[in-house]
Amino acid sequence: MHLDVQDLRNFYYRSTLGRAVQKTLRAQVAEFWPEAQGQTVVGYGFAVPFLRPYLADARRVIGLMPAPQGVIGWPQGMPNISVLCEETFWPVETGHVDKLLVVHGLETSEQPGAVLEECWRVLGPGGSALFIVPNRAGLWSRSDRTPFGFGRPYSQTQLESQLKSQNFLPERHATALYQPPSERPFWRKTAGMWERMGGKLSVVVSGGVLMVEATKRVQAPSGPGLRDKVRKPLSVLNPQPEAKPV
């Protein structure tokens, strides 16, 4: 079940905890994608808080928001780039996306396989998709005070297996949000320390979210006809017998 877009907006833009999450995850996304010069960047779900760094240099930035969630205008004070869409029918041309960020879009969907099919369709050759989902072993998936406490949490194995089943090839992964999901001043003041310590002790301490970057895997065509063409690629230059009149 999708969260309401107003709840997501209030969390990320109007709460201390949400702004801390935005800062932490935006820095992690930048580790995967330092720049997007001249590229098409698309976010699906509620990914707009993490797309702002690419507005200046990307050729195009689009924020897709599923109909069950709702849509808000974004970015504020600038021409709107947010689009309301169906979960499995995005208004994006096939193979035209260079970078695709999925946040609050996979774990809350009742048809994640179909969502991944649409992700695969729009992603272009050489492009990459970054999926951010709640970590099943983390504290954030156990608290319904944040958006990461809703929907279906994943383990890294589960997420990568689902990506592989939809013809994605996982390339890199990371975890984030080691700080507790609390508004208390002590945890807010020490959030940076927890993130630094968590990155070093990730084997012992579980982060609140999983981040997996994947590329598009294209199956090579097969069949006897293809093998014959490959074996004799210049046969088309051979003289062909002339047709005899009937």
Side-chain angles (χ1 to χ4, degrees):
M1 181 181 70
H2 287 278
L3 291 170
D4 187 86
V5 70
Q6 298 295 337
D7 294 331
L8 291 164
R9 182 193 63 181
N10 292 341
F11 174 75
Y12 279 108
Y13 293 105
R14 298 181 180 178
S15 72
T16 304
L17 182 60
R19 288 191 291 269
V21 171
Q22 184 179 159
K23 178 182 178 181
T24 299
L25 294 187
R26 187 183 288 181
Q28 286 290 335
V29 171
E31 290 286 332
F32 284 93
W33 299 336
E35 54 81 31
Q37 181 72 39
Q39 298 181 355
T40 297
V41 181
V42 173
Y44 174 75
F46 196 76
V48 290
F50 317 107
L51 298 180
R52 183 172 287 277
Y54 305 110
L55 288 174
D57 298 327
R59 183 173 67 90
R60 180 181 300 167
V61 178
I62 304 172
L64 300 176
M65 300 189 186
Q69 168 190 290
V71 67
I72 60 171
W74 188 89
Q76 189 174 6
M78 299 175 64
N80 177 63
I81 61 170
S82 293
V83 180
L84 187 70
C85 68
E86 295 296 331
E87 282 191 288
T88 58
F89 189 73
W90 300 355
V92 179
E93 293 178 289
T94 299
H96 276 60
V97 176
D98 299 296
K99 287 180 168 60
L100 173 64
L101 178 62
V102 180
V103 187
H104 302 305
L106 190 61
E107 74 273 12
T108 54
S109 175
E110 296 181 359
Q111 41 187 350
V115 171
L116 288 176
E117 287 181 4
E118 196 68 353
C119 293
W120 192 93
R121 179 187 70 82
V122 303
L123 198 64
S128 64
L130 182 59
F131 300 90
I132 301 180
V133 298
N135 184 1
R136 181 180 294 278
L139 293 175
W140 291 70
S141 65
R142 306 173 196 177
S143 172
D144 57 6
R145 299 176 63 185
T146 80
F148 297 101
F150 294 84
R152 181 192 310 102
Y154 286 84
S155 68
Q156 182 179 322
T157 301
Q158 290 170 334
L159 178 57
E160 292 189 355
S161 296
Q162 188 164 23
L163 292 176
K164 291 176 181 177
S165 70
Q166 298 295 331
N167 288 321
F168 281 100
L169 182 63
E171 300 282 358
R172 295 186 291 171
H173 61 84
T175 54
L177 294 186
Y178 295 97
Q179 55 192 285
S182 172
E183 292 272 8
R184 293 184 178 181
F186 172 78
W187 299 118
R188 295 301 92 232
K189 291 179 181 179
T190 59
M193 179 194 70
W194 289 109
E195 294 299 329
R196 290 189 296 271
M197 290 179 57
K200 298 177 181 178
L201 302 174
S202 58
V203 176
V204 180
V205 183
S206 297
V209 299
L210 299 172
M211 308 174 71
V212 175
E213 183 185 29
T215 54
K216 186 174 182 176
R217 183 170 59 190
V218 180
Q219 298 287 349
S222 60
L226 176 68
R227 286 195 294 271
D228 291 342
K229 291 180 181 179
V230 172
R231 189 177 299 115
K232 300 178 180 179
L234 300 181
S235 60
V236 68
L237 301 178
N238 295 338
Q240 302 295 324
E242 296 183 0
K244 297 181 179 180
V246 177

